[in-house]
Amino acid sequence: MRLTTKGRFAVTALLDIAIRHGGGPVALADISERQRISLSYLEQLFSKLRQRKLVDSVRGPGGGYCLAKGLDEVSVADIILAVDEPIDSTQCGGKENCLGDSKCMTHDLWTKLNEIIFDYLGNVTLERLVEEQSQRELQREQAVVKLYDMREAAF
């Protein structure tokens, strides 16, 4: 499967917005700074995400982007497809012309892999990613507290 930075950055940027869901619009400049993604690249991605109705834009002071759907309604597959990123591991792009006018011996294998990947990414929602991110953050905080407690006990 060829997943380029376009798909990865789109998922990262929407996860950034999802984590701040309910806190008002998120400026692309803020996402750019937090995630270290070029602002001009984000602008291109968000143009496509807006066209596919995954995000809404808010103009003016305090403007930015917010999700157009609920966290449980947006899958990773939706995001990747919205930025025109194919989910395809075949050499021929699914055209069955791997060997000129016919498909290669392993074409069906790669096609099945595409289906499995698409099904998996279709079942991973922003809601799930936000929950996983929250769990990681909680574990980090607990580790810091534990380390602090160990230092205090040593003195």
Side-chain angles (χ1 to χ4, degrees):
M1 183 179 127
R2 293 178 297 265
L3 181 59
T4 65
T5 55
K6 189 188 314 183
R8 293 175 201 274
F9 285 174
V11 172
T12 299
L14 283 192
L15 179 56
D16 188 288
I17 290 175
I19 288 169
R20 289 155 185 76
H21 188 64
V26 179
L28 290 185
D30 294 340
I31 297 171
S32 174
E33 185 177 320
R34 281 190 296 270
Q35 305 305 329
R36 297 186 179 111
I37 302 172
S38 157
L39 181 57
S40 62
Y41 199 74
L42 283 173
E43 289 168 347
Q44 294 171 32
L45 292 176
F46 273 75
S47 173
K48 292 180 180 186
L49 293 167
R50 194 168 39 84
Q51 289 172 0
R52 299 286 203 272
K53 301 192 184 330
L54 292 182
V55 295
D56 288 324
S57 62
V58 178
R59 295 178 181 252
Y65 287 88
C66 51
L67 296 173
K69 300 179 179 183
L71 297 178
D72 62 334
E73 298 176 273
V74 180
S75 73
V76 172
D78 294 333
I79 299 166
I80 292 170
L81 292 174
V83 295
D84 301 325
E85 183 73 19
I87 299 174
D88 186 12
S89 54
T90 64
Q91 183 179 352
C92 63
K95 296 176 185 168
E96 297 187 0
N97 61 356
C98 318
L99 297 174
D101 61 347
S102 63
K103 62 182 180 178
C104 64
M105 293 188 305
T106 56
H107 180 87
D108 294 335
L109 170 70
W110 306 128
T111 299
K112 183 65 178 167
L113 178 61
N114 290 344
E115 293 170 12
I116 292 168
I117 291 169
F118 187 78
D119 287 345
Y120 173 73
L121 295 178
N123 286 310
V124 178
T125 63
L126 285 176
E127 180 178 55
R128 177 173 159 189
L129 293 176
V130 168
E131 289 170 3
E132 290 173 359
Q133 194 67 30
S134 296
Q135 282 293 344
R136 276 191 220 98
E137 188 61 34
L138 180 61
Q139 289 170 349
R140 274 189 227 119
E141 290 172 7
Q142 289 171 341
V144 169
V145 168
K146 185 176 180 180
L147 182 60
Y148 179 77
D149 289 345
M150 289 172 53
R151 281 185 165 172
E152 288 293 311
F155 292 107

